[in-house]
Amino acid sequence: MKISVALCTCNGERYLPEQLQSVLEQSRLPDEVIACDDASSDGTIPLLQAFRAEAPFPVMILPTKERMGSTRNFERALRHCTGDLIALSDQDDRWRPQRLTRSLAVLEQRPYAALLFADGTLIDEASQPMRGSLWQRFGFAGQRFHRFAAGDYSLLCRDRFITGATVMLRRSALAHALPIPAEWVHDAWLGILLSFQGELIALDEALIDYRIHPRQQVGAAASRWRSRATRQAEAHWARIHLEHLQAESLDSQVILHPPTVRSELLPVYAARLQMLRFRDTLPTARIARATAILRHLEEYSTQTSGVASGVKDWLFSRTSVTPEAHN
């Protein structure tokens, strides 16, 4: 089978050389690399051009002048891939030499699988190993892995643990998943949509070195408590609104492309959509909010983090009610 690599870049000159070198060192080389660059202003494009000159396989470089964001950039790369299988690639990781070989072998053995994702080790900005694994970092180790491996794809309804940098998928499955809505991250969207259409494989092997970037530090004295509480409230309601928009767009896509193998997942996502609609349109007045929340305690216990989520919905002030989103 022909393998494409969908590589997305944006001002990636610092770490990109390691990633490109790891592609060249694959035990099974790709048949093509589609490199979509999102308006880089550093040396990313010259690095890609040098890679193209060296690579023993075709490399297509598709730059854009205006920033489009990672989701749209990945969708653009996916649409240009011609391989039977597509391996997704970030710009700042490092592949293990067997990444393509192992992914291909597993997908060949399981022809009904639409998508495969794997574990990875962690490295820092200096490419030094860090403690833990990729799955541990995203809470996918242990019981969740075993539930998912046994076919419990309902975990994807609330949890995000499919890391696009480890994904290989069948290009034929993209007919059910494109376009990708702007409010979604590409790997979460692909995982959920393809879970309706085929088998997903969680490969319990480290196929990449996943790079952890240093985080910005915010001084403890940067703001007063009231200001922090305001920001927390805004972030709380913004997150609920985003998840509501995601659920609405997912519902619209499933209507266009009904599940072919897992219709039993539909009630799970329908219940989540209903709960997010309710939370996103809670009244601004706390008394009215409390009454509404108390009427939906059962849904809070099954669709959220339980009482803690209800308390936050009551406690965090909101200045306006978000109208329901319908696509």
Side-chain angles (χ1 to χ4, degrees):
M1 285 193 285
K2 181 179 178 181
I3 298 177
S4 299
V5 172
L7 168 65
C8 287
T9 61
C10 180
N11 291 334
E13 67 176 357
R14 180 173 182 181
Y15 302 120
L16 184 58
E18 272 192 89
Q19 173 61 2
L20 295 178
Q21 185 62 34
S22 73
V23 174
L24 291 173
E25 294 174 355
Q26 289 297 293
S27 57
R28 197 288 192 189
L29 291 173
D31 296 285
E32 66 175 8
V33 170
I34 307 299
C36 287
D37 182 74
D38 196 11
S40 288
S41 57
D42 63 357
T44 296
I45 294 296
L47 285 171
L48 291 173
Q49 292 170 336
F51 173 70
R52 179 174 59 188
E54 179 183 3
F57 42 78
V59 176
M60 179 184 294
I61 302 172
L62 300 172
T64 183
K65 294 182 178 179
E66 296 184 3
R67 189 66 51 81
M68 61 191 337
S70 62
T71 295
R72 288 181 60 200
N73 201 31
F74 262 107
E75 180 177 331
R76 187 167 62 119
L78 289 169
R79 289 187 183 278
H80 281 85
C81 289
T82 63
D84 306 291
L85 300 173
I86 303 174
L88 304 188
S89 174
D90 290 346
Q91 65 183 3
D92 48 6
D93 301 317
R94 186 174 61 197
W95 286 2
R96 298 289 184 85
Q98 75 277 16
R99 192 226 160 157
L100 295 183
T101 299
R102 286 293 296 136
S103 300
L104 172 62
V106 174
L107 287 170
E108 284 181 329
Q109 293 169 2
R110 296 165 73 169
Y112 296 106
L115 178 147
L116 174 149
F117 66 102
D119 200 357
T121 55
L122 305 180
I123 58 175
D124 63 17
E125 58 179 328
S127 302
Q128 296 302 305
M130 300 175 65
R131 297 179 64 179
S133 72
L134 181 60
W135 283 2
Q136 289 172 344
R137 184 175 180 84
F138 289 102
F140 187 58
Q143 184 182 17
R144 282 185 179 174
F145 164 72
H146 293 295
R147 285 178 57 188
F148 189 88
D152 185 3
Y153 296 168
S154 67
L155 291 169
L156 290 170
C157 185
R158 288 177 54 188
D159 299 325
R160 303 289 182 260
F161 46 77
I162 294 179
T163 303
T166 71
V167 162
M168 180 178 281
L169 55 87
R170 296 189 193 277
R171 184 167 61 91
S172 58
L174 289 176
H176 303 287
L178 300 182
I180 305 173
E183 58 268 17
W184 279 88
V185 178
H186 65 284
D187 47 12
W189 174 262
L190 291 171
I192 291 175
L193 263 294
L194 298 188
S195 74
F196 287 113
Q197 310 298 341
E199 182 185 2
L200 304 186
I201 300 172
L203 184 60
D204 191 11
E205 299 178 22
L207 295 187
I208 72 167
D209 296 325
Y210 183 84
R211 192 181 304 277
I212 304 297
H213 294 273
R215 296 181 176 179
Q216 293 285 345
Q217 297 295 321
V218 179
S223 61
R224 297 180 179 179
W225 179 88
R226 186 179 300 275
S227 178
R228 291 201 302 270
T230 299
R231 292 200 301 272
Q232 289 174 349
E234 291 173 349
H236 175 78
W237 296 114
R239 177 184 58 79
I240 290 175
H241 182 56
L242 174 60
E243 291 180 0
H244 179 191
L245 292 177
Q246 290 176 336
E248 292 282 4
S249 60
L250 179 63
D251 184 64
S252 298
Q253 186 75 0
V254 171
I255 291 173
L256 291 174
H257 300 279
T260 56
V261 293
R262 285 193 178 79
S263 58
E264 71 274 10
L265 290 174
L266 290 177
V268 177
Y269 286 94
R272 177 165 172 77
L273 172 57
Q274 184 176 2
M275 186 59 180
L276 286 167
R277 282 175 176 166
F278 163 75
R279 296 179 74 190
D280 200 21
T281 55
L282 279 167
T284 57
R286 280 201 177 95
I287 294 178
R289 245 187 290 162
T291 302
I293 290 169
L294 288 172
R295 289 200 306 265
H296 289 78
L297 284 180
E298 183 177 352
E299 290 91 335
Y300 272 95
S301 66
T302 58
Q303 295 296 324
T304 72
S305 299
V307 174
S309 295
V311 169
K312 289 179 181 179
D313 284 357
W314 173 77
L315 179 64
F316 285 129
S317 62
R318 62 183 316 185
T319 56
S320 62
V321 177
T322 307
E324 291 193 21
H326 297 283
N327 291 345

